[in-house]
């Protein structure tokens, strides 16, 4: 099964995450199929990046989204909506 989940990067006590598409059986920081975004919990959510077209593609072919990635995407869309409507 293919999952969309976070892969940890960054230094000790300073996490930084890549949003990746990977096989469920692979290790958290192991080999992945595609990187579709980034997330830094110490920075504002607006600075996270998500390639929504690739996310939609992978969900369309059956990939499951982890709970934490679902929360990050929801927060990112909510934070981006007011700035998009203000333009």
């Amino acid at each position: 099964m293919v999952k969309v989940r976070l892969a940890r990067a960054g230094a000790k006590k300073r996490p930084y995450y890549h949003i990746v598409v990977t096989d469920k059986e692979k290790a958290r920081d192991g080999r992945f199929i595609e990187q579709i975004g980034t997330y830094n919990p110490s920075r504002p959510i607006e600075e996270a990046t998500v390639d929504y077209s690739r996310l939609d593609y992978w969900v369309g072919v059956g990939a499951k989204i982890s709970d934490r990635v679902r929360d990050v995407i929801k927060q990112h869309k909510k934070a981006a909506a007011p700035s998009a409507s203000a333009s």
Side-chain angles (χ1 to χ4, degrees), residues 46-86:
E46 295 87 11
E47 293 183 18
T49 61
V50 180
D51 186 348
Y52 288 106
S53 63
R54 295 305 294 165
L55 178 66
D56 292 340
Y57 167 77
W58 283 108
V59 170
V61 295
K64 302 293 182 193
I65 301 176
S66 72
D67 293 338
R68 186 64 187 127
V69 171
R70 186 173 287 113
D71 293 344
V72 169
I73 291 168
K74 184 188 243 182
Q75 291 173 4
H76 187 257
K77 283 183 178 179
K78 185 176 180 181
S83 64
S85 62

Side-chain angles (χ1 to χ4, degrees), residues 13-70:
K13 306 276 185 177
R14 298 190 59 194
Y16 180 83
Y17 298 95
H18 297 283
I19 301 171
V20 298
V21 179
T22 186
D23 183 49
K24 179 177 120 171
E25 303 298 321
K26 298 285 184 185
R28 178 192 68 181
D29 301 334
R31 183 175 290 213
F32 55 86
I33 300 169
E34 182 177 2
Q35 178 182 331
I36 60 171
T38 59
Y39 168 61
N40 187 343
S42 64
R43 305 291 301 165
I45 193 68
E46 295 87 11
E47 293 183 18
T49 61
V50 180
D51 186 348
Y52 288 106
S53 63
R54 295 305 294 165
L55 178 66
D56 292 340
Y57 167 77
W58 283 108
V59 170
V61 295
K64 302 293 182 193
I65 301 176
S66 72
D67 293 338
R68 186 64 187 127
V69 171
R70 186 173 287 113

